[in-house]
């Protein structure tokens, strides 16, 4: 497995963890304050968590797509490089969002 593939998978797993943390904080805040802004953040986290969990499932578990993703001759390296860039950018953004949420 190449570095690009590993980086994309690790970044996606980190995104799931970050979104669970953000969802917990925003959910707790919504129960306390009942603000529409906090509800919007919670819905955002839920949809983004669903998307990242589905991607992680396809990368690691799905019997058909997982095998396809792991065959480097079927998926051009430019696809993995792009996926990695998207996932890492999302990880950076979510990390910053978690940082300011905790501040």
């Amino acid at each position: 497995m190449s570095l690009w593939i590993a980086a994309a998978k690790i970044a996606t797993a980190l995104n799931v963890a970050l979104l669970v943390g953000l969802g917990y904080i925003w959910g707790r805040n919504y129960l306390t304050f009942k603000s529409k802004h906090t509800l919007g953040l919670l819905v955002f986290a839920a949809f983004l968590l669903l998307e990242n969990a589905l991607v992680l499932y396809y990368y690691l578990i799905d019997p058909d797509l997982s095998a396809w993703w792991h065959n480097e001759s079927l998926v051009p390296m430019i696809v993995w490089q792009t996926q990695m860039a998207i996932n890492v950018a999302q990880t950076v953004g979510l990390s910053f969002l978690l940082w300011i949420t905790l501040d």
Side-chain angles (χ1 to χ4, degrees), residues 1-72:
M1 176 168 45
S2 80
L3 179 63
W4 301 109
I5 296 169
K9 290 178 183 180
I10 290 168
T12 303
L14 284 172
N15 291 343
V16 168
L18 289 167
L19 286 161
V20 166
L22 285 167
Y24 173 77
I25 293 167
W26 292 336
R28 188 185 62 204
N29 288 348
Y30 178 70
L31 291 175
T32 302
F33 302 112
K34 305 288 189 210
S35 114
K36 286 197 303 188
H37 177 74
T38 307
L39 179 61
L41 291 171
L42 183 59
V43 170
F44 165 77
F47 278 105
L48 204 55
L49 176 61
L50 177 65
E51 183 262 336
N52 277 278
L54 190 60
V55 168
L56 196 59
Y57 170 78
Y58 287 145
Y59 282 167
L60 302 175
I61 299 169
D62 185 84
D64 296 322
L65 289 177
S66 177
W68 182 72
W69 278 114
H70 288 90
N71 187 341
E72 291 183 34

